[in-house]
Amino acid sequence: MISNLITNLVWSQIINGIGKGLKDTDMNISKQDLDLGKDAVDKGIEIAGYGYDSEQDIFYCNMDAWQRKMGYSRLYDEASATLGMIVDCEPIYFEYGGKGWLVEFWKGQYDLCTGCEVGVYTTEETELNTVEMRKNTFYNCASNEDRLKISFSLIKNGETLFSRNDKHWWLAGFKLGEFSEPSELKMKLIITLKDNTMCNAFVEALMKAGYSEKEIIVDENINTVSLVFDEPRTPQPVTRTAETDRITQKKNKMLCDSYKRITQVYDNLKDKINAIKEKSPEIYEDILNEEELRRYLKSLRDYTSI
């Protein structure tokens, strides 16, 4: 029964990558990787486009992950709930430097993970004056030159789950086996923009999205904006309804409870993954294939570019 409910993209990418890494016939660990202390699990996570922070026990997104080629479309957010992810999203649109910009925040339950993200995207299309125009526009992931310095802490019911800080196009963290309702979570965010003009455009966009002036802290000397993302101010995907949230979250909690029950006696990721493989093979084997995921995302990307 549980195996039929595994649809989460983040979990599927990570497990599929680890699975490939654990099979010697599928992957030869190079001497260079061995010299760097990478084992099969590390290499598998890397293939999936992620890294693992053992101190915080979270997965995070690599700078040059394959996902960077997929860009962003509003359809991704619309599809999330149907794929087991009950996540609050907050898209902030503005123009700067002859480009259309999107900085989006996410927080919530990614099937087997509690997590959050900040994505930075651009398009050559400008004068996107209506919500519908913005929703129907495909955005590219920010280039190296357009990455922003971002830091955040994800807080659940007053307790900090984890923190991240980097200059990135997709700063994220996912805590495996942690179950949360999106309403339990808030992100404390600090974002540094390129210059004063960009900072002002971003602040104006935040206010248009529904944030009040007192909720936005601006340090004009370093073009930094601080805010808290708790209750979304922008319309959420139409696939998010009270009933679908309830049904999906019931399933997500069951998955997280199963994961914790199986892995509670282990203190490292490799042993936890091996335990899942041994004690719940239906979960392990029924994970979405990475190539299927690539094709799915590519189909959304191609559809939005028509």
Side-chain angles (χ1 to χ4, degrees):
M1 180 180 68
I2 294 178
S3 63
N4 294 328
L5 300 175
I6 303 292
T7 54
N8 174 256
L9 300 184
V10 173
W11 176 236
S12 69
Q13 295 168 68
I14 292 169
I15 290 296
N16 189 64
I18 292 172
K20 287 183 177 180
L22 290 174
K23 295 179 181 179
D24 293 336
T25 56
D26 289 348
M27 178 183 302
N28 293 318
I29 307 301
S30 68
K31 184 179 185 303
Q32 181 181 6
D33 287 332
L34 290 172
D35 289 342
L36 291 172
K38 292 183 179 179
D39 63 11
V41 171
D42 295 324
K43 194 65 177 176
I45 295 171
E46 184 180 302
I47 287 173
Y50 294 85
Y52 177 67
D53 180 341
S54 59
E55 291 187 5
Q56 298 193 89
D57 188 28
I58 61 169
F59 293 96
Y60 59 87
C61 308
N62 290 335
M63 190 66 68
D64 294 316
W66 63 265
Q67 293 92 332
R68 196 171 189 179
K69 298 177 182 179
M70 296 301 171
Y72 168 84
S73 164
R74 177 67 178 186
L75 286 176
Y76 296 0
D77 288 343
E78 294 292 344
S80 292
T82 67
L83 294 165
M85 294 178 278
I86 304 302
V87 179
D88 290 340
C89 58
E90 194 84 294
I92 307 298
Y93 300 95
F94 61 100
E95 292 183 14
Y96 165 77
K99 296 179 182 179
W101 287 72
L102 166 62
V103 176
E104 184 157 0
F105 321 135
W106 295 270
K107 63 177 178 68
Q109 190 65 27
Y110 298 73
D111 205 73
L112 266 167
C113 304
T114 287
C116 64
E117 314 165 68
V118 180
V120 183
Y121 309 93
T122 64
T123 177
E124 296 302 319
E125 296 185 46
T126 56
E127 299 183 2
L128 301 173
N129 298 318
T130 68
V131 172
E132 286 306 312
M133 289 175 67
R134 290 165 175 168
K135 284 184 177 181
N136 293 329
T137 298
F138 179 81
Y139 286 79
N140 294 307
C141 297
S143 65
N144 285 341
E145 294 74 21
D146 286 337
R147 292 174 301 163
L148 299 178
K149 185 177 179 181
I150 306 165
S151 66
F152 64 67
S153 293
L154 182 64
I155 298 167
K156 177 181 178 181
N157 297 327
E159 179 182 347
T160 298
L161 292 181
F162 57 83
S163 300
R164 296 274 290 136
N165 180 20
D166 202 354
K167 187 175 185 180
H168 221 292
W169 60 275
W170 182 29
L171 192 68
F174 306 98
K175 195 169 186 67
L176 189 58
E178 182 75 26
F179 175 79
S180 307
E181 296 290 349
S183 60
E184 294 180 287
L185 303 171
K186 66 179 179 180
M187 294 176 72
K188 288 188 175 180
L189 289 151
I190 303 174
I191 301 175
T192 300
L193 292 307
K194 291 188 173 188
D195 55 32
N196 187 253
T197 300
M198 188 180 192
C199 185
N200 289 338
F202 182 58
V203 169
E204 183 179 344
L206 284 169
M207 295 179 71
K208 285 183 178 179
Y211 289 86
S212 67
E213 189 172 352
K214 67 180 182 180
E215 292 176 307
I216 306 168
I217 300 173
V218 181
D219 188 334
E220 296 181 351
N221 294 320
I222 55 175
N223 303 309
T224 293
V225 175
S226 303
L227 72 152
V228 174
F229 173 40
D230 46 16
E231 186 72 21
R233 315 303 165 85
T234 56
Q236 296 303 286
V238 296
T239 51
R240 287 279 311 276
T241 67
E243 184 63 11
T244 57
D245 278 15
R246 183 188 67 79
I247 293 170
T248 303
Q249 285 291 72
K250 182 178 180 181
K251 176 266 297 184
N252 288 342
K253 187 175 188 306
M254 180 178 65
L255 290 173
C256 289
D257 289 346
S258 295
Y259 175 84
K260 286 188 172 181
R261 174 178 53 79
I262 293 170
T263 64
Q264 61 184 339
V265 299
Y266 303 102
D267 62 1
N268 66 82
L269 181 63
K270 184 176 180 179
D271 287 345
K272 289 179 180 181
I273 298 305
N274 280 327
I276 290 290
K277 185 177 182 180
E278 177 183 350
K279 298 180 181 180
S280 190
E282 73 278 13
I283 293 179
Y284 185 90
E285 294 296 336
D286 203 32
I287 298 298
L288 288 172
N289 181 270
E290 181 181 333
E291 283 303 315
E292 291 176 358
L293 176 66
R294 289 177 190 257
R295 287 195 295 271
Y296 171 75
L297 290 176
K298 185 177 185 300
S299 71
L300 291 181
R301 182 187 65 185
D302 293 344
Y303 175 80
T304 57
S305 61
I306 294 175

